[in-house]
Amino acid sequence: MITDWLQKNSVLAQIEVSSSTEAIEKSGQLLVDSGCAEPKYITAMLENFYRNGNYIVMAPGIAVPHASPGPAVLRPGLSLLTLKKPIHFGHPKNDPVNLVAAFCAVDHQSHLGMLMDLAALLERQDKLERMRIASSKKEILKIVSEDVEKSSC
Amino acid sequence: MLKIATVCGAGVGSSMMLKVFAEQILEHESVDADVTASDISSLDPAAYDAIITASAFADLIDSKATRIIRMDNMLDKTYLREQLIHVISETAGRNEG
């Protein structure tokens, strides 16, 4: 369930950032704060973004920063933050971004359930719209946890 | 059997998500297919009938024979279904002819 991954130390609402780099750093810091990754993982996320480009903006307004599994990942983790002011990541169609969901994985398989829980959440347009305007993490967590058993991927 | 690769940068995120979506669609269509998630650096395009990936990677894949499905919105399963059905009918036509 998505609520196993998104908790009060891995969610932030209406963060102000001035660049895509800063947005990625903040989303990665949540993975560090929740004990899922070491600070080096944030560097790896930025390297993946610089090397492979804007593909991390996987849907309109949604960026999903991540890096390959490695020693900087302590356990699978997910974070979610909303941006007060939308930021351009350089994607031709999906810019600007106002929701950033970072994740870390320990291998190529074991985080699949987490990823599909995230997809099921992001496919819900009604929830997306409400999360984007939510003013507090408490409000976001409430939206995330609503009818989770009914969501499917 | 249809051979499909889903491709992204790290091989753990969008390629995994697209693999699951593609498998769900192909199973629903009762198509026998093998879907592999790959990172862009280890991809051999010639080994697959179709490749599903983000536009940023589609531009890097040098293959005339392999059909490439560009997913700007990776959560758009309706578009993915349309494109996969197209690939299925093309492949069926090729095998019969």
Side-chain angles (χ1 to χ4, degrees), chain B residues 55-87:
Chain B
S55 292
F57 297 124
D59 296 335
L60 301 176
I61 299 168
D62 181 24
S63 174
K64 289 179 179 67
T66 309
R67 189 181 171 87
I68 297 175
I69 300 175
R70 291 168 175 257
M71 297 294 293
D72 282 315
N73 181 350
M74 295 187 202
L75 296 173
D76 190 348
K77 286 193 246 182
T78 309
Y79 176 77
L80 181 59
R81 178 183 301 276
E82 282 169 13
Q83 296 297 309
L84 278 174
I85 286 172
H86 200 69
V87 169

Side-chain angles (χ1 to χ4, degrees), chain A residues 30-83:
Chain A
L30 287 174
L31 296 174
V32 174
D33 293 345
S34 54
C36 297
E38 290 176 359
K40 270 184 293 185
Y41 186 71
I42 303 175
T43 313
M45 285 165 69
L46 288 169
E47 279 167 5
N48 183 42
F49 177 57
Y50 298 144
R51 184 175 61 245
N52 291 312
N54 54 42
Y55 87 98
I56 64 164
V57 189
M58 56 174 289
I62 303 171
V64 183
H66 61 281
S68 300
V73 181
L74 304 172
R75 57 188 171 90
L78 183 65
S79 74
L80 190 150
L81 59 85
T82 57
L83 301 176

Side-chain angles (χ1 to χ4, degrees), chain A residues 13 27 37 60 73-74 94 115 120 123 126 130 135 140 142 145:
Chain A
S27 68
V73 181
L74 304 172
N94 296 338
L115 208 56
E123 280 176 88
D126 56 330
R130 287 166 58 214
S135 56
I140 291 182
K142 185 170 169 284
S145 63

Side-chain angles (χ1 to χ4, degrees), chain A residues 58-116:
Chain A
M58 56 174 289
I62 303 171
V64 183
H66 61 281
S68 300
V73 181
L74 304 172
R75 57 188 171 90
L78 183 65
S79 74
L80 190 150
L81 59 85
T82 57
L83 301 176
K84 190 168 189 175
K85 194 181 69 176
I87 291 287
H88 283 260
F89 274 60
H91 193 284
K93 294 196 175 147
N94 296 338
D95 268 345
V97 168
N98 57 7
L99 192 146
V100 184
F103 76 88
C104 56
V106 292
D107 55 34
H108 285 260
Q109 283 296 335
S110 58
H111 65 295
L112 194 56
M114 177 179 81
L115 208 56
M116 300 320 289

